[in-house]
Amino acid sequence: RKEVEQDPGPFNVPEGATVAFNCTYSNSASQSFFWYRQDCRKEPKLLMSVYSSGNEDGRFTAQLNRASQYISLLIRDSKLSDSATYLCVVDRSGNTPLVFGKGTRLSVIA
Amino acid sequence: GAVVSQHPSWVICKSGTSVKIECRSLDFQATTMFWYRQFPKQSLMLMATSNEGSKATYEQGVEKDKFLINHASLTLSTLTVTSAHPEDSSFYICSARDSRVGYTFGSGTRLTVV
């Protein structure tokens, strides 16, 4: 089993749609959780951190369920510019490398 | 703040030659850098952890003699792909952790071996 598993993509949605991505992680000792966005042939960029209390940043809402080891990302009112690959990322602890999920490709269509 | 500069951005080389990729932390000291590789439609896979002043730690399945890592200073880590072959063609990217802002990534190097 991979340490971080994500929904298989791709997701093709119309502008204005709401789309949800799911992710599970296997290492219960993981401490920090993130969603990154990666555009084609570019480096990943931090979209948002994920907290148990849930957090929202504009049209983006992230949620963490430690008991289920489950992370989610909700995008409301999708824009064309949201088209990218979304990576679920886990930080075990301290100065250890981030562990990346395979990513879910989102295409927002006009 | 917390910028990692990586170059070259892309490189095309002939099979059998070696390619060096550099990552510099511009405004912080990176005692540890992480090197990842990403094949098309795949996740970023950790290759090795580079430690300043000591040997790198390689992930299982990564040949240390083929992917030479040098981290001679607190701001520079290099990855050299020796005797490159077409199957080494990939997107290579480095990352470091800054205490102020967390993890930051270089802009990546797209290597094509012909």
Side-chain angles (χ1 to χ4, degrees):
Chain A
R1 182 186 174 189
K2 294 189 187 303
E3 189 165 345
V4 179
E5 297 206 63
Q6 293 185 238
D7 273 347
F11 283 62
N12 300 311
V13 303
E15 273 188 290
T18 296
V19 60
F21 300 143
N22 303 315
C23 170
T24 57
Y25 61 96
S26 61
N27 188 340
S28 59
S30 300
Q31 295 193 358
S32 303
F33 309 88
F34 311 93
W35 283 101
Y36 274 73
R37 169 191 171 132
Q38 186 177 25
D39 293 288
C40 189
R41 297 173 181 264
K42 299 286 187 182
E43 75 275 21
K45 292 188 184 296
L46 179 64
L47 180 65
M48 59 197 306
S49 301
V50 189
Y51 305 109
S52 297
S53 54
N55 49 304
E56 188 174 308
D57 182 2
R59 297 181 293 108
F60 299 84
T61 301
Q63 187 74 51
L64 165 67
N65 184 321
R66 283 189 182 271
S68 304
Q69 296 181 197
Y70 171 90
I71 305 162
S72 65
L73 175 68
L74 184 75
I75 305 175
R76 291 181 298 277
D77 188 23
S78 299
K79 311 290 184 191
L80 294 175
S81 57
D82 293 334
S83 298
T85 297
Y86 291 83
L87 303 169
C88 179
V89 184
V90 170
D91 184 8
R92 299 188 197 107
S93 66
N95 201 20
T96 55
L98 297 175
V99 181
F100 289 83
K102 193 174 178 178
T104 303
R105 173 75 187 154
L106 171 66
S107 291
V108 181
I109 305 161
Chain B
V3 174
V4 173
S5 174
Q6 181 173 349
H7 68 91
S9 299
W10 59 271
V11 58
I12 301 173
C13 70
K14 290 184 177 180
S15 188
T17 61
S18 296
V19 173
K20 180 187 281 188
I21 302 169
E22 291 190 353
C23 274
R24 292 180 185 274
S25 56
L26 297 186
D27 52 359
F28 69 103
Q29 294 182 335
T31 54
T32 303
M33 276 204 185
F34 306 107
W35 287 95
Y36 294 85
R37 177 170 57 182
Q38 185 178 34
F39 291 107
K41 298 185 179 181
Q42 299 293 317
S43 181
L44 277 78
M45 296 300 296
L46 181 68
M47 298 177 66
T49 300
S50 165
N51 302 297
E52 185 268 334
S54 64
K55 290 183 179 180
T57 304
Y58 290 82
E59 295 299 299
Q60 190 173 12
V62 178
E63 301 174 56
K64 61 180 181 181
D65 294 329
K66 180 170 181 63
F67 298 99
L68 301 179
I69 289 175
N70 184 281
H71 195 153
S73 78
L74 287 170
T75 59
L76 175 64
S77 177
T78 62
L79 168 68
T80 301
V81 183
T82 63
S83 186
H85 291 283
E87 58 265 30
D88 298 324
S89 298
S90 187
F91 186 60
Y92 293 85
I93 190 165
C94 62
S95 172
R97 187 173 186 275
D98 175 66
S99 58
R100 300 164 296 170
V101 298
Y103 292 91
T104 186
F105 289 85
S107 55
T109 298
R110 187 156 300 279
L111 170 64
T112 302
V113 184
V114 297

